[in-house]
Amino acid sequence: YSTDSIYDMLQMVASYNTDQCEAIFNDGTKTFFEKGSFSCGPVVDNEQGSYLTMMSSGGLKFGIINIVGNFGTVFVDQSYWQSAIAARPASTHKGYLLGGLVWFTIPFALATSLGLAGVALQLPLSVSEAGAGLVPPAVATHLFGSGGAVMMAVMLFMAITSTG
């Protein structure tokens, strides 16, 4: 899938009404679509119901909470201070700036690309499944098959073993 096709699919998903969503989330005999449980149709409280907007009250709240919380983590966590004291003073500021950029970029890029791909492809993930972090493995498995599941497992293993 190209970025253009994902964009077109997101625009199409945002334009669906309840009847169209029920038809998509249908197991052959009945629908399992419940409004608010699946990403189908326009997004409430987003500019024009779009999935691709920065004008979202929920996104603004999340951003503020995330920034305040993560600044607190950096200033209070002892491991950050130990790393700063152990490093050479000339390289400390470069390391912290680079680490901060990477810390933000990788999760943001993965969450945005895989989350929007999950909506565009209309994968049958409920709100509780998305909240449990199952969107990235579902999208990777949908796009790459079992190789996608292996890639997500390797990435998760590397992230866990690199902390500490």
Side-chain angles (χ1 to χ4, degrees):
Y1 297 95
S2 70
T3 54
D4 289 337
S5 63
I6 294 291
Y7 175 81
D8 292 339
M9 286 185 227
L10 284 171
Q11 295 297 86
M12 190 175 3
V13 169
S15 70
Y16 289 155
N17 60 32
T18 305
D19 293 335
Q20 290 169 315
C21 293
E22 288 176 354
I24 292 169
F25 293 101
N26 190 327
D27 64 3
T29 58
K30 65 179 184 125
T31 184
F32 55 91
F33 175 77
E34 295 176 22
K35 194 167 178 72
S37 294
F38 295 92
S39 294
C40 188
V43 181
V44 179
D45 294 334
N46 277 12
E47 182 82 14
Q48 298 177 353
S50 175
Y51 289 90
L52 300 170
T53 182
M54 297 299 282
M55 305 303 284
S56 165
S57 60
L60 179 65
K61 290 175 194 172
F62 173 77
I64 292 170
I65 291 168
N66 198 16
I67 288 170
V68 170
N70 290 321
F71 270 120
T73 300
V74 170
F75 290 122
V76 177
D77 190 354
Q78 184 65 28
S79 66
Y80 288 102
W81 290 102
Q82 289 171 346
S83 299
I85 291 168
R88 290 189 325 234
S91 60
T92 302
H93 74 281
K94 293 176 192 170
Y96 270 81
L97 289 175
L98 182 60
L101 291 173
V102 171
W103 172 88
F104 173 76
T105 305
I106 293 171
F108 180 77
L110 279 173
T112 302
S113 61
L114 294 176
L116 290 175
V119 172
L121 297 170
Q122 285 294 277
L123 298 180
L125 293 167
S126 67
V127 171
S128 61
E129 291 169 330
L134 297 177
V135 175
V139 172
T141 303
H142 180 80
L143 294 176
F144 301 109
S146 60
V150 170
M151 286 189 277
M152 290 303 298
V154 168
M155 186 175 66
L156 183 62
F157 174 78
M158 292 172 68
I160 291 170
T161 57
S162 72
T163 57

